[in-house]
């Protein structure tokens, strides 16, 4: 009867909770609507339109998920719409699909559970809700879900074993989150309230005397409540002083000394934890640094339960941080070693960070360590292959881990076995998988040294005594471009030496001497050592002759390469001298023409025709009279500040006298001691009016501007670059932040003023050209896509630190962008969710930023800036080496001894040419000049 009474109480509570959940959705009016019929009609029409729009959107989202099932936001949008429309069956199916692919957050689980609780009336339906709760508490540590689970279970205490079930759930909840400093108290109090309710039902009726059995039940129930108080007071929890006061008031007996002692100890421990809890409360999500400090604190204390809890708390807010999962799993593997706990953590790790190969490898090892069935391990490996790793080498690592596991299963004392055949089959499949699947996706196998085939050969030779198969594998390895490397031959030689015979060792070394191009001396020495120890006289003679012939050819090739480099260097010096002479003759020619006004006008026209390509060659140096300003690459000396020494408000100089006026200005040499307070500004529009005033206004926010030296040609046309000198060094550093700022539709380049003779390794390009796992490269964007629109798409997958839309020098978009996230985890998750996404009818490609090595052009292109004459690829003494000279654009190359360069309208490459009258040089176009250089 008492149980029935308690069941009625719990059922009433559950019914009230269900009625509360059935309240109208937020934003929906509680009344029936307007009393006006016309208003009702309009509202009905609007509702029908909205319903049709929602149905169309639901269909679109379902189609999108059929294409890309890993679109996280698409899942969320679909669930939200289905919940709004009340489509319970579809909603349940959508949630189920999402939970199979992703761990669900606390909010998603609570919404799902509340929806299912509303419709669960029969016993079978309640069991499904219990199953759902069991899944929910496994994804992340969530005190709210455990509390909801326990409270829901109270509604079933009327069933057989109902009370014990509730207690079991409460005990599991306390084990999971009872130590939570800030949220654990709520669970302890709920548990005590439940036991107090049981105590009330066990009390005898007023005025009656309890039987011995009733008295025993009462004492037992009282002891349960006492035990809960004592357990709670021994744990450092927030507001535990109030719990102690409540215990004093509730208990009819004095509190035991042991309990008081444990309480004081817990208070001291709480004081130690408070700084870390306060740091978490004051920090912004995801609080990774604060959690890491808390973890370090608990690790020093050494309580396994508290260490596990703080790791779980950290992971609940940093679920996409692979390193955090790795550290947690390592702790569980090495310290706790509880099978269910370890495997559950590994499973959650790979579900949260499926792109991290290290987590999959640790999971496979943990499964093997805990004797999981072979079929389960193989199934998990297949899931890993479909996880979408971001590098080709990741697939090599996961295959190697699985092959190691299969190798450990084989009993090599038997000549053949099912496990051995499975291992060989897996090796063959791995080689084929890397060749087909991985190469197709990454354009590389990720295993250029064929490490998997090498390991296969070792297994065959050492464990299976099958040297013939090992030789076949090594023959295959050498045909994949590895025959030129000495270390590959020596690896095979060592295997042959240990498990083969001398004849095959000798044969391998002879082939190595013939084929090796990186370290031929080394393999020659190994061959001679072999013959010295084991060979006959004939073998020795053959080896000596072989090595001498090979080294003679090597030395001959090295000598030829050195001669060719010296010849090319000499040719370059001759061309530099010719350019110097051509410049002197052209200067003399212009001086002669300036004696007559008409000739001067003609000279101006020639100059205009000569520099007609100037806008395409912004970094090209003009050679007109008085024009000695060096571009960014030659900034250690600056000569000739053209016509900009006069004050802006002074009288304008007539156009026909501008060149003469600038000629009268003395040349100003750049003071290298001012490099630290000077920046070089380039890629400005040639049409910019009054660049000094424009730039002074732009750079004024950085600090006091001492001088702006805009560079003009001898006709007074702005050349698109200038020097900005500040008063303070800090102002120059701040000015660098304006790099790539749009000025009149073009990105302005701002770089430090550096003498590259003294700093040859200095790089002006400020962006990394190596792998950056926290940064994405996006291609295929529509040209109309703005930075704000792209940020709106990207920020759904993490905290976006920076977005850079790639433009050409004219500021026009190229459909490319770099997006920098806060950490590697967010970037990796964004790759999975955004790759293949449609943005304004354009399907974009998203990958981790890993720019390929820049390949230098082999030859100059017609119509472009002339290239320094450099040798094409030369094979040096050590194989495919490249000389120090390179085919590099002049604007990017810095020579140690700058020399005058020939104008593209003056070609002086022979005595006959140099003897021509200087007044009538032969004009050549850029294309003609490039062809002339190629003929050289």
């Amino acid at each position: 009867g008492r149980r029935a009474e308690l069941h009625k109480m719990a059922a009433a509570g559950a019914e009230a909770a269900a009625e509360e959940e059935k309240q109208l959705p937020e934003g929906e009016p509680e009344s029936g609507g307007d009393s006006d019929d016309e208003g009702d009609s309009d509202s009905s029409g609007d509702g029908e339109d909205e319903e049709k729009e929602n149905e169309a959107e639901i269909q679109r989202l379902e189609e999108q998920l059929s294409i890309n099932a890993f679109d996280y936001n698409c899942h969320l949008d679909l669930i939200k719409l289905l919940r709004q429309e009340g489509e319970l069956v579809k909603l349940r199916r959508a949630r189920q699909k999402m939970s199979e692919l992703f761990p669900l957050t606390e909010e998603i689980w609570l919404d799902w559970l509340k929806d299912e609780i509303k419709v669960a009336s029969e016993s079978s339906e309640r069991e499904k809700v219990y199953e759902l709760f069991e899944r929910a508490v496994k994804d992340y540590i969530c005190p709210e879900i455990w509390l909801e689970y326990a409270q829901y279970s109270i509604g079933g205490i009327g069933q057989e074993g109902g009370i014990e079930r509730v207690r079991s759930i409460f005990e599991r909840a306390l084990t999971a989150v009872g130590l939570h400093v800030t949220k654990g108290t709520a669970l302890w109090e709920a548990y005590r309230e439940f036991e107090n309710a049981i105590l009330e039902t066990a009390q005898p009726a007023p005025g009656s005397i309890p039987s011995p059995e009733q008295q025993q039940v009462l004492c037992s129930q009282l002891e349960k409540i006492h035990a809960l108080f004592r357990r709670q007071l021994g744990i450092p929890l927030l507001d535990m002083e109030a719990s102690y006061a409540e215990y004093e008031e509730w208990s009819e007996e004095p509190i035991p000394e042991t309990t008081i002692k444990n309480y004081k100890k817990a208070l001291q421990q709480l004081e130690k934890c408070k700084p870390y809890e306060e740091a978490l409360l004051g920090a912004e999500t995801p609080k990774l640094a604060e959690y890491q400090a808390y973890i370090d604190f608990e690790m020093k204390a050494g309580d396994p339960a508290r260490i596990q809890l703080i790791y779980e708390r950290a992971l609940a807010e940093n679920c996409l941080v692979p390193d955090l999962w790795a550290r947690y799993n390592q702790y569980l593997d090495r310290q706790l070693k509880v099978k269910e706990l370890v495997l559950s953590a590994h499973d959650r790790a790979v579900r949260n960070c499926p792109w991290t190969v290290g987590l999959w490898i640790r999971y496979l090892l943990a499964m093997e360590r805990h004797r999981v069935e072979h079929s389960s391990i193989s199934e998990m490996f297949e899931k890993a292959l479909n996880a979408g790793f971001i590098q080709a080498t990741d697939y090599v690592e996961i295959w190697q881990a699985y092959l190691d596991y299969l190798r450990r299963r084989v009993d090599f004392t038997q000549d053949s076995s099912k496990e051995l055949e499975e291992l060989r089959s897996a090796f063959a499949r791995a080689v084929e998988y890397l060749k087909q699947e991985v190469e197709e996706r990454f354009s590389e196998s990720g295993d250029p040294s064929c490490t998997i085939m090498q390991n296969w050969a070792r297994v065959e030779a050492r464990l299976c005594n099958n040297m013939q198969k090992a030789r076949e594998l090594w023959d295959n390895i050498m045909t994949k471009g590895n025959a030129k490397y000495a270390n590959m031959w020596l690896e095979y030689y060592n295997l042959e030496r240990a498990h083969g015979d001398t004849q095959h060792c000798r044969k391998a070394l002879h082939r190595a001497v013939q084929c090796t191009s990186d370290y031929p001396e080394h393999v020659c020495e190994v061959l001679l050592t072999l013959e010295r120890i084991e060979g006959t006289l004939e073998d020795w003679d053959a080896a000596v002759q072989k090595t001498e012939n090979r080294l003679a050819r090597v030395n001959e090739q090295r000598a030829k390469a050195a001669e060719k480099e010296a010849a090319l260097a000499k040719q370059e010096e001759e061309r530099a001298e010719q350019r110097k002479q051509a410049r002197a003759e052209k200067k003399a020619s212009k001086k002669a023409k300036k004696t007559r006004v008409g000739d001067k006008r003609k000279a101006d026209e020639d100059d205009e025709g000569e520099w007609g390509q100037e806008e395409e060659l912004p970094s090209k140096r003009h050679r007109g009279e008085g024009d000695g300003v060096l571009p960014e690459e030659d900034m250690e000396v600056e000569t000739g500040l053209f016509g900009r020494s006069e004050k802006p408000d002074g009288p304008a100089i007539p156009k026909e006298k501008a060149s003469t006026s600038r000629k009268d200005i003395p040349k100003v040499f750049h003071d290298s001691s001012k490099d630290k307070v000077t920046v070089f500004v380039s890629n400005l529009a040639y049409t910019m009016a009054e660049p000094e005033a424009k730039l002074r206004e732009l750079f004024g926010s950085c600090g006091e501007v001492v001088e702006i030296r805009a560079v003009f040609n001898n006709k007074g046309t702005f050349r698109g670059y200038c020097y900005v000198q500040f008063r303070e060094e800090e102002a120059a550093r701040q000015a660098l932040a304006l790099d790539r700022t749009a000025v009149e539709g073009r990105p302005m380049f701002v770089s430090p003023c550096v003498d590259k003779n003294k700093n040859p390794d200095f790089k002006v390009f400020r962006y990394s050209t190596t792998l950056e796992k926290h940064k994405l490269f996006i291609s295929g964007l529509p040209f109309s896509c703005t930075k704000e629109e792209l940020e709106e798409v990207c920020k759904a997958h993490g905290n976006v630190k920076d977005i850079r839309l790639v433009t050409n020098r004219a500021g026009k978009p190229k459909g490319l962008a770099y997006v920098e996230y806060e950490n590697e985890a967010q970037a990796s998750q964004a790759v999975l969710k955004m790759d293949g996404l449609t943005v304004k009818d354009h399907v974009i490609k998203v990958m981790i930023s890993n720019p390929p090595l820049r390949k230098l052009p082999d030859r100059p292109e017609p119509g472009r800036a002339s290239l320094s004459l450099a040798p094409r690829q030369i094979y040096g003494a050590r194989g495919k080496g490249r000389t120090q000279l390179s085919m590099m654009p002049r604007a990017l190359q810095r020579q140690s001894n700058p020399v005058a360069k020939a104008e593209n309208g003056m070609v002086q490459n022979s005595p006959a040419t140099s003897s021509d009258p200087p007044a009538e040089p032969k004009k050549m176009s850029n294309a003609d000049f490039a062809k002339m250089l190629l003929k050289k």
Side-chain angles (χ1 to χ4, degrees):
R2 295 294 182 186
R3 177 175 293 178
E5 182 181 346
L6 182 60
H7 172 59
K8 289 179 181 178
M9 178 187 68
E15 184 177 355
E19 288 297 327
E20 188 179 17
E21 294 294 337
K22 291 179 182 178
Q23 295 299 318
L24 290 171
E26 184 178 353
E28 185 174 331
E30 295 185 7
S31 63
D34 297 329
S35 58
D36 185 30
D37 292 341
E38 184 178 352
D40 288 341
S41 177
D42 292 342
S43 176
S44 176
D46 293 341
E48 290 179 1
D49 293 340
E50 183 180 356
E51 185 177 347
K52 289 181 180 179
E53 291 178 2
N54 289 343
E55 288 178 358
E57 181 65 10
I58 289 171
Q59 185 176 357
R60 187 192 69 79
L61 291 171
E62 289 175 341
E63 291 176 355
Q64 180 68 23
L65 287 174
S66 66
I67 299 172
N68 180 15
F70 288 91
D71 191 332
Y72 189 87
N73 290 329
C74 195
H75 281 284
L76 291 180
D77 293 341
L78 179 60
I79 289 172
K80 182 179 179 180
L81 272 178
L82 290 173
R83 192 166 190 247
Q84 181 179 333
E85 291 296 310
E87 296 280 354
L88 183 59
V89 177
K90 289 185 178 180
L91 177 61
R92 185 180 291 150
R93 189 185 308 123
R95 284 167 166 164
Q96 179 65 28
K97 287 183 179 179
M98 185 177 184
S99 67
E100 291 172 357
L101 296 173
F102 304 101
L104 303 186
T105 64
E106 178 182 322
E107 293 77 10
I108 297 175
W109 273 119
L110 287 174
D111 286 343
W112 190 356
L113 289 166
K114 289 176 182 178
D115 289 344
E116 294 294 344
I117 288 172
K118 290 179 186 178
V119 297
S121 57
E122 298 181 2
S123 177
S124 59
E125 293 173 339
R126 289 185 62 86
E127 287 301 320
K128 290 182 180 179
V129 176
Y130 282 126
E131 293 174 4
L132 202 59
F133 269 114
E134 289 295 328
R135 291 174 54 193
V137 297
K138 289 179 181 178
D139 275 353
Y140 302 111
I141 179 172
C142 299
E144 289 80 2
I145 293 180
W146 275 111
L147 189 59
E148 189 77 20
Y149 189 9
Q151 290 176 343
Y152 178 74
S153 66
I154 293 176
I157 59 177
Q159 300 175 355
E160 184 178 354
I163 293 179
E164 293 306 317
R165 185 174 197 171
V166 174
R167 285 175 176 155
S168 172
I169 292 172
F170 267 119
E171 288 295 336
R172 289 173 56 204
L174 292 180
T175 301
V177 294
L179 299 179
H180 199 299
V181 175
T182 57
K183 297 183 179 180
T185 303
L187 271 167
W188 287 100
E189 291 179 349
Y191 196 180
R192 286 204 317 274
E193 289 299 322
F194 169 72
E195 294 294 354
N196 274 319
I198 299 296
L199 178 64
E200 291 296 325
T201 61
Q203 295 286 351
S208 63
I209 300 176
S211 64
E213 292 80 8
Q214 288 178 328
Q215 191 67 34
Q216 185 177 359
V217 170
L218 283 172
C219 291
S220 174
Q221 190 61 30
L222 282 170
E223 181 57 31
K224 284 184 173 65
I225 299 173
H226 275 291
L228 283 174
F229 268 118
R230 290 195 293 268
R231 288 167 60 190
Q232 179 182 355
L233 292 175
I235 298 171
L237 297 172
L238 202 64
D239 201 23
M240 60 186 305
E241 295 88 348
S243 300
Y244 183 82
E246 182 183 350
Y247 187 28
E248 280 186 317
E249 182 181 351
W250 180 85
S251 177
E252 297 177 355
E253 301 174 359
I255 298 177
E257 287 296 326
T258 306
T259 304
I260 295 175
K261 182 179 178 180
N262 291 336
Y263 167 70
K264 291 181 178 179
K265 184 178 178 181
L267 272 177
Q268 294 175 355
Q269 191 173 359
L270 178 62
E271 290 302 316
K272 296 178 181 178
C273 294
K274 273 186 177 179
Y276 299 99
E277 293 291 345
E278 290 170 357
L280 288 174
L281 288 174
E284 296 182 358
T285 305
K287 313 175 185 178
L288 184 58
E290 290 76 14
Y291 273 119
Q292 188 56 56
Y294 207 162
I295 290 170
D296 294 340
F297 165 74
E298 293 292 1
M299 290 290 284
K300 291 178 181 178
D303 186 340
R306 297 192 65 80
I307 294 172
Q308 181 190 351
L309 176 66
I310 192 59
Y311 263 120
E312 290 286 357
R313 287 178 62 184
L315 287 166
E317 295 192 57
N318 298 273
C319 59
L320 300 180
V321 180
D323 289 343
L324 188 59
W325 281 107
R327 291 195 294 271
Y328 180 39
N329 289 336
Q330 178 177 300
Y331 171 77
L332 296 178
D333 287 334
R334 297 180 179 179
Q335 303 297 327
L336 297 188
K337 302 180 182 180
V338 179
K339 179 179 179 179
E340 291 75 14
L341 184 61
V342 169
L343 296 183
S344 172
H346 279 288
D347 183 70
R348 290 185 293 133
V350 298
R351 290 183 69 208
N352 278 280
C353 307
W355 62 88
T356 308
V357 67
L359 296 178
W360 287 100
I361 292 174
R362 290 185 179 90
Y363 193 6
L364 294 177
L365 289 171
M367 295 177 78
E368 181 184 4
R369 197 176 293 121
H370 290 283
R371 306 286 193 276
V372 176
E373 292 183 359
H374 172 60
S375 58
S376 299
I377 297 179
S378 298
E379 182 181 349
M380 191 56 60
F381 168 71
E382 295 298 333
K383 287 183 179 179
L385 285 183
N386 296 320
F389 300 132
I390 59 178
Q391 297 181 90
T393 53
D394 292 345
Y395 288 93
V396 179
E397 291 181 30
I398 192 66
W399 266 112
Q400 192 58 65
Y402 183 59
L403 292 168
D404 292 344
Y405 157 70
L406 294 178
R407 194 266 307 161
R408 289 190 285 267
R409 296 182 68 242
V410 180
D411 181 6
F412 289 100
T413 59
Q414 302 178 11
D415 292 338
S416 63
S417 63
K418 178 182 177 182
E419 290 79 8
L420 178 58
E421 292 306 314
E422 184 177 5
L423 174 62
R424 284 172 170 159
S425 175
F427 267 118
R429 182 188 167 201
V431 173
E432 188 66 21
Y433 186 92
L434 295 177
K435 180 180 178 182
Q436 299 292 336
E437 302 288 338
V438 178
E439 278 195 16
E440 181 179 348
R441 179 179 172 188
F442 296 98
S443 301
E444 59 166 324
S445 68
D447 190 17
S449 299
C450 302
T451 54
I452 287 182
M453 293 182 70
Q454 288 188 48
N455 290 330
W456 188 2
R458 293 187 189 103
V459 169
E460 294 289 353
R462 297 177 185 176
L463 302 176
C464 301
N465 297 319
N466 188 353
M467 197 61 205
Q468 182 58 37
K469 179 63 176 178
R471 292 181 185 122
E472 292 176 5
L473 290 168
W474 266 104
D475 184 66
N476 195 359
I477 291 171
M478 291 303 185
T479 60
K480 294 183 180 297
N482 292 304
K484 57 188 175 183
Y485 301 117
N487 67 311
M488 299 297 287
W489 283 107
L490 295 179
E491 187 71 32
Y492 171 48
Y493 166 75
N494 290 331
L495 186 68
E496 193 71 63
R497 189 81 170 146
H499 306 286
D501 53 58
T502 304
Q503 187 60 32
H504 281 90
C505 288
R506 181 176 291 112
K507 183 178 179 181
L509 290 176
H510 275 274
R511 289 181 61 195
V513 169
Q514 189 68 29
C515 300
T516 300
S517 61
D518 55 352
Y519 298 103
E521 295 91 346
H522 190 36
V523 292
C524 289
E525 182 181 351
V526 174
L527 174 58
L528 293 175
T529 301
L530 173 68
E531 302 301 0
R532 179 175 284 113
I533 301 299
E534 299 186 21
T536 64
L537 178 59
E538 290 77 9
D539 294 332
W540 173 260
D541 290 340
V544 170
Q545 182 179 357
K546 184 92 169 179
T547 56
E548 286 180 350
N549 291 341
R550 174 58 176 160
L551 293 179
R553 289 198 301 273
V554 168
N555 291 330
E556 183 181 351
Q557 291 172 356
R558 289 173 178 171
K560 288 182 178 179
E563 291 176 3
K564 192 169 184 179
E565 288 188 14
L568 289 169
K570 185 177 180 181
Q571 290 178 11
E572 182 63 23
E573 291 178 2
E574 292 174 355
R575 291 191 182 97
E577 185 64 28
Q578 290 173 6
R579 289 194 292 268
K580 185 175 181 181
Q581 294 176 4
R583 176 171 172 77
E585 292 182 6
K586 182 173 182 179
K587 188 174 182 180
S589 173
K590 287 190 176 182
K591 285 184 178 180
K593 290 182 181 181
K594 286 181 181 180
T595 57
R596 299 188 305 275
V597 177
D599 291 341
K600 179 180 181 301
R601 183 179 296 110
K602 184 175 183 299
D604 289 344
E605 292 172 358
D606 291 343
D607 184 74
E608 182 178 0
E610 182 179 341
W611 298 103
Q613 299 293 329
E614 185 174 26
E615 186 164 349
E616 296 181 12
L617 308 170
S619 62
K620 189 171 182 180
R621 182 179 175 182
H622 291 252
R623 303 300 180 191
E625 181 181 1
D627 187 352
V629 179
L630 295 178
E632 180 180 7
E633 292 74 18
D634 296 323
M635 59 176 68
E636 75 276 10
V637 178
E638 177 188 348
T639 60
L641 301 179
F642 295 112
R644 290 306 187 195
S645 294
E646 67 273 7
K647 296 180 180 180
D649 55 353
I653 299 177
K655 181 177 180 181
E656 61 271 10
K657 296 183 180 180
S659 179
T660 306
S661 298
R662 284 190 295 275
K663 176 182 176 182
D664 296 336
I665 297 175
K667 296 181 179 179
V668 179
F669 291 92
H670 178 66
D671 186 357
S672 60
S673 64
K674 296 181 180 179
D675 282 350
K676 292 185 177 180
V677 295
T678 305
V679 295
F680 180 77
V681 182
S682 60
N683 201 45
L684 299 169
Y686 290 2
T687 57
M688 180 181 290
E690 296 298 332
E692 294 96 332
K694 178 79 174 178
L695 295 178
R696 188 175 294 274
E697 177 185 352
L698 188 62
F699 286 97
S701 60
C702 302
E704 182 182 352
V705 179
V706 175
E707 183 181 15
I708 295 180
R709 289 170 284 173
V711 181
F712 296 80
N713 66 8
N714 60 351
K715 292 191 64 182
T717 304
F718 180 46
R719 293 186 60 188
Y721 60 89
C722 65
Y723 296 88
V724 180
Q725 181 180 332
F726 294 90
R727 180 76 63 191
E728 302 291 340
E729 184 177 339
E730 178 61 27
R733 281 196 292 267
Q734 292 183 17
L736 296 176
L738 297 178
D739 185 37
R740 312 281 168 165
T741 301
V743 178
E744 296 190 2
R746 295 172 64 90
M748 174 181 67
F749 300 159
V750 184
S751 56
C753 199
V754 176
D755 183 351
K756 293 188 181 177
N757 275 336
K758 301 176 182 178
N759 300 276
D761 297 330
F762 176 76
K763 303 291 185 183
V764 175
F765 190 69
R766 65 172 180 168
Y767 302 107
S768 174
T769 57
T770 58
L771 174 66
E772 294 180 281
K773 294 186 177 181
H774 67 292
K775 185 179 292 186
L776 304 184
F777 173 69
I778 303 178
S779 60
L781 289 167
F783 292 164
S784 60
C785 181
T786 65
K787 184 176 180 179
E788 291 73 20
E789 291 172 340
L790 183 57
E791 183 178 9
E792 190 67 27
V793 175
C794 297
K795 71 180 182 182
H797 311 298
N799 295 330
V800 178
K801 293 181 64 178
D802 184 45
I803 292 180
R804 177 165 62 94
L805 294 177
V806 181
T807 63
N808 59 18
R809 294 181 70 92
K812 303 298 182 183
K814 299 173 71 173
L816 310 174
Y818 288 92
V819 180
E820 182 179 357
Y821 280 94
E822 194 170 70
N823 53 52
E824 170 191 346
Q826 294 177 0
S828 302
Q829 189 73 358
V831 170
L832 295 176
K833 296 173 184 176
M834 291 173 56
D835 188 31
L837 192 67
T838 301
V839 177
K840 293 185 177 181
D841 298 328
H842 284 66
V843 178
I844 64 173
K845 292 183 179 180
V846 184
M847 62 191 72
I848 297 296
S849 176
N850 188 15
L853 294 177
R854 184 179 294 275
K855 295 182 180 180
L856 300 177
D858 289 337
R859 54 189 299 172
E861 299 178 10
R864 307 286 297 204
S866 62
L867 305 179
S868 59
L869 296 179
R872 294 181 183 150
Q873 183 169 332
I874 295 178
Y875 293 89
R878 294 194 173 190
K880 276 192 176 180
R882 291 184 183 270
T883 61
Q884 295 302 313
L885 298 174
S886 60
M887 298 293 288
M888 186 180 294
R890 183 182 301 162
L892 298 180
Q893 189 179 30
R894 186 71 182 91
Q895 299 183 12
S896 58
N897 296 311
V899 294
K901 301 176 178 62
E903 301 286 350
N904 66 347
M906 290 288 294
V907 181
Q908 304 228 0
N909 53 7
S910 66
T913 306
S914 62
S915 64
D916 290 341
E920 296 183 0
K922 180 181 178 182
K923 295 184 178 63
M924 299 179 66
S925 67
N926 283 348
D928 294 335
F929 185 59
K931 291 178 182 178
M932 181 276 294
L933 289 180
L934 290 177
K935 290 179 182 179
K936 286 288 182 183

